[in-house]
Amino acid sequence: MYDSFSSFHPIVNFLYFLVVLIFSMFLMHPIFQIIALISAITYSMMIKGLRKGIKINIAYMLPMLLFMAFLNPLFNHEGVTILFYLKDGNPITFESILYGIASATMFITVIIWFSCYNAVMTSDKFIYLFGRIIPSLSLIFSMVLRFVPRYLEQIKIISNAQKSIGRDLSQGGIIKRAKNGIKILSIMTTWALENSIETADSMRARGYGLSGRTSFSIFSFDNKDKIGVSAIILLVSIILIGAFKGENTIKFFPSIKFSEITEFSIFIYIVYLILCMLPVIINIQEAIRWKSIKSKI
């Protein structure tokens, strides 16, 4: 499915991910966490495909969530509701279990949001936003985002080539596998150095670092981008008002305490849902509009 949200101006994309990442890290209320997690998974499956999204979120993220949720009560023994004691005498409390689940959910949600960020905020968008403010850092960051997947792909190619001649990591004894691994690493290092020289020569030929050098961009801030920024600012303002009134806070220790659910808190939950689901809503809206146009042709 085409991601219409990616077609927005880089400022809109970056502002959205900045907001949802901050909220996902600091809003530990269960309802807010569930909304953020479901929204992140939905958008991830929308831009990466249903099969790949399910594979990543179920096969990788779910075991990580369960592991982190199980690990926290073994080290954190705060809380007044003691369920049982370990052999070493340390208690396992209900509060520590819930806090472990909340922390794991927050961690997984942030990871999924970052995966969506990497798919939407390409290197050219990042350089466009920060190229003039922090040119060196923005260039390095964009190159890292580009080279990491490229290096992973190249090492697979090298490994498959070595496997065809019996020099893979899975072939032979321990000593032979170690030699094969060193050989693959040596080839990869040589390729990386040659690639860095080619990149430096290409940048020099294009005049990188020269004074007065201008840059070309295809991004323009139009009406839909204005509406997008305005919507994000409005939604964030309402959520911050709710935070100021304590509608999205929770206390885990020594006992669990959170504000009662009221009509205003439900309104805040709905606003947060709209904010997190904003890219999904935009994509669905564009898909409906496209189908309507096709039906008229």
Side-chain angles (χ1 to χ4, degrees):
M1 182 178 180
Y2 175 71
D3 183 25
S4 301
F5 183 68
S6 299
S7 65
F8 277 69
H9 196 274
I11 291 178
V12 182
N13 298 144
F14 184 79
L15 178 63
Y16 170 79
F17 283 111
L18 178 65
V19 167
V20 294
L21 282 169
I22 292 176
F23 281 160
S24 298
M25 285 187 287
F26 292 100
L27 299 182
M28 299 291 287
H29 195 284
I31 296 179
F32 284 88
Q33 286 195 321
I34 292 172
I35 290 173
L37 180 60
I38 293 175
S39 302
I41 291 175
T42 304
Y43 187 43
S44 174
M45 290 191 296
M46 184 172 285
I47 61 179
K48 296 181 179 180
L50 184 61
R51 181 179 297 180
K52 186 176 181 180
I54 292 176
K55 179 181 178 182
I56 294 174
N57 296 315
I58 301 299
Y60 300 112
M61 296 303 172
L62 183 59
M64 187 183 299
L65 189 150
L66 296 176
F67 174 74
M68 293 183 62
F70 174 78
L71 194 64
N72 182 75
L74 299 179
F75 297 95
N76 186 357
H77 308 290
E78 297 184 39
V80 297
T81 309
I82 299 175
L83 300 179
F84 57 91
Y85 289 89
L86 299 174
K87 291 183 179 180
D88 57 1
N90 289 319
I92 298 296
T93 64
F94 179 69
E95 290 79 9
S96 64
I97 292 176
L98 289 185
Y99 183 76
I101 295 174
S103 301
T105 303
M106 179 269 292
F107 185 76
I108 297 302
T109 303
V110 170
I111 290 178
I112 298 175
W113 278 131
F114 265 115
S115 68
C116 296
Y117 171 90
N118 288 332
V120 175
M121 285 295 297
T122 54
S123 59
D124 57 332
K125 291 183 178 181
F126 190 85
I127 291 179
Y128 171 79
L129 290 177
F130 301 101
R132 295 183 179 179
I133 303 174
I134 43 174
S136 299
L137 183 60
S138 62
L139 177 64
I140 292 173
F141 186 75
S142 63
M143 291 176 68
V144 168
L145 292 178
R146 174 173 174 259
F147 284 145
V148 168
R150 188 178 178 187
Y151 285 176
L152 292 176
E153 185 67 25
Q154 183 65 25
I155 202 167
K156 289 180 182 178
I157 295 173
I158 296 172
S159 182
N160 290 332
Q162 292 295 303
K163 187 176 182 179
S164 63
I165 58 176
R167 295 180 180 177
D168 186 56
L169 292 173
S170 61
Q171 297 168 329
I174 297 177
I175 297 177
K176 186 178 181 180
R177 290 182 183 181
K179 290 182 178 180
N180 294 341
I182 295 173
K183 183 67 176 179
I184 294 173
L185 181 61
S186 175
I187 297 172
M188 183 64 192
T189 303
T190 303
W191 177 87
L193 291 174
E194 291 178 352
N195 186 72
S196 63
I197 294 173
E198 292 176 0
T199 303
D201 291 340
S202 176
M203 292 171 62
R204 188 181 298 109
R206 298 180 186 187
Y208 178 79
L210 297 178
S211 59
R213 178 178 178 269
T214 59
S215 59
F216 169 78
S217 73
I218 58 175
F219 306 110
S220 60
F221 198 82
D222 53 21
N223 290 330
K224 74 171 184 179
D225 300 313
K226 295 177 182 178
I227 295 174
V229 170
S230 301
I232 293 174
I233 293 175
L234 177 61
L235 295 172
V236 169
S237 300
I238 296 173
I239 295 170
L240 291 177
I241 292 173
F244 180 76
K245 293 190 175 183
E247 298 294 341
N248 50 10
T249 56
I250 184 172
K251 184 179 179 182
F252 288 94
F253 305 109
S255 60
I256 298 175
K257 294 181 181 180
F258 52 89
S259 58
E260 297 181 359
I261 297 178
T262 61
E263 293 181 356
F264 181 69
S265 63
I266 294 175
F267 173 68
I268 298 297
Y269 301 153
I270 295 174
V271 171
Y272 188 63
L273 176 63
I274 295 173
L275 174 66
C276 293
M277 282 288 190
L278 192 60
V280 178
I281 295 172
I282 292 172
N283 288 335
I284 294 175
Q285 182 183 3
E286 289 296 324
I288 294 173
R289 183 182 299 177
W290 175 246
K291 288 183 179 179
S292 176
I293 294 174
K294 288 178 65 177
S295 63
K296 294 178 181 179
I297 298 177

